[in-house]
């Protein structure tokens, strides 16, 4: 897990420009979706991402892991970032080699303390039957997780999963 | 009444849908709360036989009902869970609070 300071977009540096160029030569494939922050879309979006991942010949477990992680990030954008408003959520997926990166971006309320928010069982909405397990599941089911957020600006959740190796099964703290 | 709910004496059985996410959790939470307001429910059974997907919203549904039934001295259980659902329940720690019975594979 890595927590980064506020910054909405990733700045263009010579390094990532090189990476981006390299990407074209490497075996990459990208897909983006933008959708309304309606709970109705939760199912469709995780299925779309899972369908995009089929090019990696994932195991059933890998598909389930990806769907759960995407569902967590999208649900957070719907219920926390935009609360009762309907705004846009963007999801960018990139397959590179045997890895898939997924980035979920909202322009909602943001998170004042990302480190605290990512602690298992931490929730700001206990009255709504939230359990505070969302980030814990994203972390457990993906290989990498980074969260950037700024109050009043929005939140970007970036996750990466390696396919074809059963290493991503980080177990959560047993005392949860 | 929602067809997913079955009430017999003071036992409420909830047949959980195929995918238990935030969207599908909302009507279940509402209906369960309504039933519990109007009847003396002592046992809640969540029947997961149809369920292949669940995320933290499902944990919230179970935890919320667990707290409510605890206050009345009742009990709650999860039945017919798949390997995947069992794993999610275990990871969340909720299987330490609620009895969880696996799906029999030949069903
Ligand atoms: N996109 C977001 N925008 C604003 N706040 C967020 C966002 N994502 C998460 N948060 C904050 O981080 C907290 C923890 O998120 P997490 O997903 O771990 O738990 P939860 O959503 O509260 O509960 P659960 O996911 O178990 O239903 C949330 O309660 C919320 O305060
Ligand atoms: Mg969440």
């Amino acid at each position: 897990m890595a927590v980064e300071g506020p910054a909405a977009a990733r700045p263009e540096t010579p390094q990532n420009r090189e990476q981006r160029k390299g990407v074209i030569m490497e075996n990459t494939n990208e897909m983006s979706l933008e959708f309304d922050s309606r709970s109705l879309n939760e199912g469709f979006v995780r299925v779309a991402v899972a369908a995009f991942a089929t090019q990696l010949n994932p195991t059933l477990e890998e598909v389930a892991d990806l769907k759960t992680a995407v569902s967590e990030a999208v649900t957070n954008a719907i219920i926390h970032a935009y609360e009762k408003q309907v705004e846009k959520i963007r999801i960018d997926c990139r397959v590179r080699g045997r890895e898939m990166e997924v980035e979920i971006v909202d322009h909602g309320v943001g998170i004042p303390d990302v480190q605290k928010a990512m602690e298992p069982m931490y929730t700001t909405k206990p009255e709504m039957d939230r359990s505070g397990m969302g980030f814990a599941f994203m972390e457990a089911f993906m290989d990498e997780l980074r969260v950037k957020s700024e109050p009043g600006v929005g939140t970007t959740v970036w996750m990466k999963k390696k396919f074809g190796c059963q290493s991503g099964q980080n177990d959560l703290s047993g005392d949860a | 009444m929602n067809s997913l709910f079955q009430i017999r004496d003071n036992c409420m059985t909830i047949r959980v849908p195929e995918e238990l996410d935030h969207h599908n959790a909302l009507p279940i939470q509402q209906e369960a709360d309504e039933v519990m307001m109007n009847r003396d429910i002592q046992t809640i059974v969540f029947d997961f036989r149809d369920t292949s997907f669940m995320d933290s919203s499902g944990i919230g549904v179970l935890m919320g009902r667990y707290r409510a039934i605890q206050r009345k001295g009742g009990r709650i259980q999860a039945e017919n869970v798949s390997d995947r659902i069992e794993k999610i329940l275990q990871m969340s720690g909720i299987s330490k609070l609620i009895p969880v019975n696996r799906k029999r594979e030949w069903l």
Side-chain angles (χ1 to χ4, degrees):
Chain A
M1 175 207 346
V3 179
E4 291 179 6
R10 251 188 251 161
E12 178 86 16
T13 64
Q15 197 198 358
N16 66 22
R17 200 163 40 237
E18 277 312 303
Q19 272 176 2
R20 219 144 11 102
K21 269 198 275 171
V23 152
I24 298 162
M25 289 179 277
E26 272 180 65
N27 215 359
T28 67
N29 190 14
E30 296 183 355
M31 184 276 280
S32 300
L33 283 171
E34 199 173 61
F35 54 96
D36 280 345
S37 59
R38 298 181 188 278
S39 66
L40 178 74
N41 289 329
E42 291 159 2
F44 146 72
V45 172
R46 65 175 174 264
V47 168
V49 174
F52 185 66
T54 55
Q55 64 195 287
L56 291 162
N57 288 321
T59 62
L60 285 178
E61 188 167 18
E62 286 168 340
V63 173
D65 291 353
L66 183 65
K67 279 168 84 173
T68 309
V70 168
S71 193
E72 295 298 348
V74 168
T75 302
N76 279 352
I78 292 170
I79 62 182
H80 300 298
Y82 295 129
E83 296 195 275
K84 286 173 183 77
Q85 276 136 281
V86 176
E87 303 280 347
K88 300 294 179 199
I89 300 169
R90 192 183 159 88
I91 185 159
D92 293 296
C93 303
R94 175 198 275 170
V95 168
R96 183 193 293 178
R98 296 294 305 155
E99 294 178 349
M100 181 153 162
E101 293 168 56
V102 184
E103 194 169 74
I104 295 97
V105 183
D106 69 63
H107 300 287
V109 296
I111 306 173
D113 184 343
V114 170
Q115 205 149 5
K116 184 150 195 76
M118 292 175 80
E119 284 170 15
M121 306 185 75
Y122 176 83
T123 180
T124 50
K125 287 195 162 48
E127 77 287 353
M128 281 183 62
D129 277 345
R130 306 322 302 180
S131 59
M133 292 305 296
F135 280 127
F137 283 165
M138 289 182 240
E139 192 155 26
F141 291 133
M142 302 293 278
D143 292 298
E144 281 181 57
L145 170 64
R146 288 181 208 153
V147 182
K148 280 192 260 178
S149 192
E150 192 178 344
V153 177
T155 301
T156 297
V157 173
W158 178 92
M159 310 185 278
K160 188 163 94 177
K161 187 167 184 67
K162 299 184 178 78
F163 289 78
C165 54
Q166 300 292 48
S167 66
Q169 298 307 315
N170 325 321
D171 254 321
L172 280 182
S173 52
D175 56 354
Chain B
M1 170 170 316
N2 194 316
S3 62
L4 298 171
F5 283 68
Q6 201 183 69
I7 291 140
R8 198 166 289 158
D9 302 327
N10 51 14
C11 175
M12 169 167 70
T13 301
I14 302 170
R15 182 114 171 213
V16 183
E18 215 173 304
E19 307 213 305
L20 184 54
D21 60 4
H22 162 243
H23 183 70
N24 294 335
L26 292 171
I28 296 175
Q29 285 162 322
Q30 279 166 8
E31 177 97 27
D33 289 347
E34 207 180 301
V35 171
M36 288 178 75
M37 256 183 353
N38 297 322
R39 289 170 182 254
D40 178 32
I41 298 296
Q42 290 296 325
T43 305
I44 306 175
V45 179
F46 281 90
D47 185 345
F48 280 93
R49 73 181 59 206
D50 304 320
T51 311
S52 55
F53 178 87
M54 184 174 93
D55 62 17
S56 67
S57 301
I59 304 298
V61 173
L62 289 174
M63 276 309 296
R65 274 8 84 189
Y66 171 75
R67 290 200 199 95
I69 202 89
Q70 280 278 99
R71 272 182 247 124
K72 308 173 75 182
R75 56 197 194 88
I76 176 171
Q77 66 202 60
E79 292 292 336
N80 298 318
V81 303
S82 66
D83 290 351
R84 178 70 188 181
I85 305 298
E86 185 180 36
K87 181 174 179 179
I88 299 266
L89 295 175
Q90 261 168 11
M91 288 170 72
S92 71
I94 203 171
S95 44
K96 288 179 190 151
L97 305 172
I98 296 176
V100 175
N101 295 308
R102 297 165 55 95
K103 188 185 245 166
R104 289 194 299 179
E105 296 304 339
W106 57 85
L107 276 185

